Amino acid sequence: MAKMNLKEHARVRTHATRTLAAQAFSRAAGAPLVHGNSIRLLKDARENYPAWLEAIRSAQKYIYFENYIIRDDDIGHQFADALIAKAKEGLPVRLLYDWLGGLTETSGSFWQRLAAGGVEVRCFNPLSFDSPLGWVSRLHRKSLCVDNRVAFVSGLCVGQMWSGYPDRNIPPWRDTGIEIRGPVVADVVHSFSRVWAETGPELPADEVPSRDSIPIAGTVDLRVLGNVAATAGLYRLEHLITVLAQRTLWLTDAYYAGTTSYVQALRGAAMDGVDVRLLVPGSSGDLKFLRPISRAGYRPLLEAGVRVFEWNGSMLHAKTAVADGRWARVGSSNLNMASWLGNWELDVAIEDVDFAQEMEQMYLEDLENATEIVLSRKNRVRPIAEPGSRQPGPSALKRVGGSRHGSASRLTAGAIRVGNTVGAAITSRLVLGAAEAKIMLFGGSTLLGMALLALLQPLLMVIPFSLLAGWIGTSLLIQAYKLHKSGQDDTSNGESDVKSDMPKNGMKDKVVEIPRLQAEPGRESSSRRTPHDTSSKP
């Protein structure tokens, strides 16, 4: 009887732990877990682009497409032709691109051709005089929704580099995406509608589906992360996954620049016996100056037992994670503050054993074409073998250099890494090595040059600062006037509404009762669950 009680107690505790974890994931991410979906892993442009084009050409109702970069090249024209063809059939085709992402990559005639063909084209966050720093927040998402039946979320933009240049012997960029079907498609459409409303009139209400209006397509549980920007939902979730991982945590990132707290979380997991791995671009990264900056962040990870790998092929642009063979993430967010707090991003978190194991297998295949970075005897960061040499397979990869202890987003990422390194050098709070020397040399030279320029030619420093300060000051005055004006209008409208609702004697104020925020014990507040909420059940 005692044994039965212990087993029952263990079962209850396990159920309670899972419920608590599900609740923690939902609150940290700010996104519910949606049941009843199917998912397909799509690797590189050779699998993503054909699937996207097939979905577009088979559309019967709507097409919603958003992407950070849509290049004016052969690949871009393929998508433009497909979108225009469906628009001419009478379908609503809505395209959203980022102003900064298309600034140098796409001509104005490209967008004009789409608009002339019937596609509704909108530009996200163009430079505005009354918001001089507003351009920092970008639409970095990559998604496609068709007919409320299928959605694609990925790290791929639209351009020839993702397909490669066979005539120049340049291989395709390495990237990852997914195709999803089921009720969670409603969440992707809703995410698109939120950012669409940022650029003009909202989507018609009948084009934004509820989850229960989309039939079940499988047994996969998903969360869609990215309804709004600057909420740090993914940042909190990444920390939570790092803390809860028990066996493995394998990360792939294109522009890694981890914060101090995130680095400490990775270090803590590795020192506690978790197999933590980070795969990043190597010498073929598209921003050459970021490589030494990223490398400056390797050392604290390596010292704690985190394994770091650099990709040997063409640009590695994927943004993925897989933990414990049960949880995975695919999307547009990089592991840096620009993605976590500044940009509009879109990621999908997947809680499914089969998919996570498929992600693990893909990760091991990627490591076949990667070089492991280690600390040498002189405590310097170096590759385990020279790039271009034959690398051992994942099963043969061994740790070198010590035992385990214990059981604009790219520019922002670089600035954060430079700031951390220079700050460490000034305060002497961290031990620095040869990897940081280039950054310190650059930072010191820049500051010295600015000091000399200020002494010799003060106007060259004063004039740009004055212009920038004048621009920002003028924009603040404009915004203050707009807010003041709108406040007066709201006040006048409010007064007229109150007067019309007052009793004839005019002696009693109108009172609005604020509902209680906390439900009575034993009862669940109706405001905490919507009719279409499919979050995990207790």
Side-chain angles (χ1 to χ4, degrees):
M1 185 69 178
K3 291 184 178 179
M4 291 297 294
N5 289 336
L6 286 175
K7 289 182 178 180
E8 179 65 19
H9 179 66
R11 187 190 67 79
V12 171
R13 288 194 62 182
T14 300
H15 176 74
T17 301
R18 290 176 178 174
T19 301
L20 184 61
Q23 177 178 295
F25 286 158
S26 294
R27 291 183 179 178
L33 190 65
V34 182
H35 310 294
N37 310 283
S38 67
I39 188 169
R40 180 162 67 111
L41 182 61
L42 301 172
K43 185 176 180 179
D44 297 334
R46 71 175 185 272
E47 295 182 0
N48 280 272
Y49 287 171
W52 297 4
L53 289 169
E54 180 183 357
I56 291 173
R57 290 163 181 157
S58 65
Q60 300 293 323
K61 296 179 180 178
Y62 322 107
I63 298 174
Y64 308 134
F65 191 25
E66 61 179 351
N67 212 295
Y68 179 63
I69 296 175
I70 303 177
R71 290 178 67 101
D72 188 359
D73 58 17
D74 290 343
I75 298 298
H77 285 285
Q78 288 184 37
F79 279 90
D81 293 343
L83 294 172
I84 290 173
K86 300 309 292 188
K88 289 183 176 180
E89 292 179 11
L91 273 67
V93 179
R94 299 186 168 91
L95 174 65
L96 191 58
Y97 73 95
D98 184 79
W99 172 80
L100 186 63
L103 186 61
T104 61
E105 308 295 344
T106 313
S107 64
S109 60
F110 181 85
W111 307 120
Q112 293 169 7
R113 175 173 172 258
L114 280 162
V119 178
E120 187 174 356
V121 180
R122 291 189 185 179
C123 176
F124 179 84
N125 201 14
L127 186 64
S128 174
F129 180 80
D130 62 355
S131 183
L133 299 180
W135 63 271
V136 173
S137 179
R138 306 314 320 166
L139 178 73
H140 195 243
R141 299 156 28 142
K142 297 95 178 175
S143 77
L144 169 66
C145 303
V146 175
D147 291 351
N148 299 335
R149 61 178 173 83
V150 62
F152 300 87
V153 177
S154 74
L156 288 84
C157 298
V158 177
Q160 189 65 48
M161 65 274 287
W162 274 269
S163 295
Y165 300 87
D167 56 329
R168 293 154 55 187
N169 200 28
I170 299 178
W173 281 16
R174 172 71 187 88
D175 219 327
T176 303
I178 54 173
E179 173 191 290
I180 51 180
R181 298 174 185 268
V184 78
V185 172
D187 290 49
V188 183
V189 175
H190 181 71
S191 294
F192 176 88
S193 71
R194 291 293 299 271
V195 71
W196 184 258
E198 292 287 318
T199 62
E202 300 178 356
L203 287 178
D206 58 355
E207 292 187 23
V208 183
S210 60
R211 294 188 194 121
D212 60 359
S213 68
I214 301 177
I216 291 175
T219 59
V220 180
D221 298 336
L222 306 172
R223 300 179 196 273
V224 174
L225 315 171
N227 268 345
V228 294
T231 58
L234 181 61
Y235 187 55
R236 294 192 299 269
L237 185 62
E238 289 286 351
H239 275 74
L240 188 59
I241 291 297
T242 304
V243 170
L244 294 179
Q246 297 179 342
R247 296 186 294 104
T248 60
L249 177 59
W250 297 350
L251 306 166
T252 301
D253 199 67
Y255 307 103
Y256 169 77
T259 62
T260 300
S261 61
Y262 187 65
V263 169
Q264 290 302 319
L266 294 178
R267 283 170 53 89
M271 295 176 70
D272 200 31
V274 179
D275 179 10
V276 183
R277 305 184 187 188
L278 175 64
L279 176 62
V280 294
S283 59
S284 59
D286 62 335
L287 296 181
K288 302 297 183 183
F289 72 91
L290 275 185
R291 193 184 186 206
I293 294 173
S294 295
R295 277 197 163 191
Y298 291 173
R299 184 179 176 185
L301 300 176
L302 295 171
E303 288 177 336
V306 177
R307 301 181 70 178
V308 179
F309 301 85
E310 287 187 345
W311 178 251
N312 292 333
S314 61
M315 174 61 185
L316 175 74
H317 197 259
K319 307 97 168 44
T320 65
V322 57
D324 288 344
R326 302 185 62 87
W327 181 91
R329 171 182 60 81
V330 178
S332 66
S333 294
N334 291 297
L335 300 177
N336 60 50
M337 293 303 292
S339 284
W340 284 329
L341 291 177
N343 296 335
W344 288 75
E345 305 279 2
L346 190 65
D347 299 82
V348 176
I350 306 102
E351 299 182 19
D352 181 76
V353 173
D354 292 337
F355 182 81
Q357 292 177 352
E358 190 177 359
M359 289 281 291
E360 284 187 336
Q361 182 59 40
M362 184 178 69
Y363 196 92
L364 293 175
E365 292 173 359
D366 285 341
L367 292 190
E368 293 280 359
N369 191 37
T371 297
E372 184 169 10
I373 306 298
V374 298
L375 289 173
S376 67
R377 292 182 180 179
K378 294 183 178 181
N379 216 19
R380 294 181 179 179
V381 176
R382 67 173 180 84
I384 195 173
E386 293 300 322
S389 62
R390 176 178 169 79
Q391 297 299 311
S395 60
L397 288 172
K398 303 294 184 182
R399 186 176 309 283
V400 178
S403 60
R404 291 283 294 269
H405 302 283
S407 50
S409 60
R410 306 169 183 172
L411 296 177
T412 305
I416 291 172
R417 180 60 61 205
V418 170
N420 289 341
T421 300
V422 174
I426 294 174
T427 61
S428 298
R429 297 298 297 275
L430 295 176
V431 179
L432 300 175
E436 292 86 357
K438 292 182 179 179
I439 298 177
M440 294 171 63
L441 178 63
F442 172 78
S445 301
T446 301
L447 291 174
L448 182 59
M450 292 174 64
L452 291 174
L453 184 62
L455 288 174
L456 300 177
Q457 295 291 337
L459 286 179
L460 293 180
M461 295 290 291
V462 172
I463 292 175
F465 174 79
S466 300
L467 292 176
L468 181 60
W471 184 8
I472 296 176
T474 303
S475 70
L476 291 176
L477 292 176
I478 294 174
Q479 293 183 45
Y481 173 76
K482 291 180 179 178
L483 290 173
H484 177 70
K485 189 68 175 177
S486 62
Q488 286 184 332
D489 294 341
D490 292 341
T491 301
S492 60
N493 292 336
E495 289 177 351
S496 62
D497 292 341
V498 170
K499 289 178 180 178
S500 63
D501 291 336
M502 286 179 61
K504 291 183 179 180
N505 57 20
M507 298 297 295
K508 188 174 182 180
D509 293 334
K510 184 178 180 181
V511 178
V512 179
E513 183 178 356
I514 301 176
R516 297 182 63 185
L517 298 179
Q518 185 174 359
E520 296 179 7
R523 296 184 181 180
E524 182 177 359
S525 174
S526 60
S527 64
R528 301 184 62 178
R529 189 178 299 273
T530 65
H532 308 309
D533 185 12
T534 56
S535 58
S536 57
K537 298 179 181 179

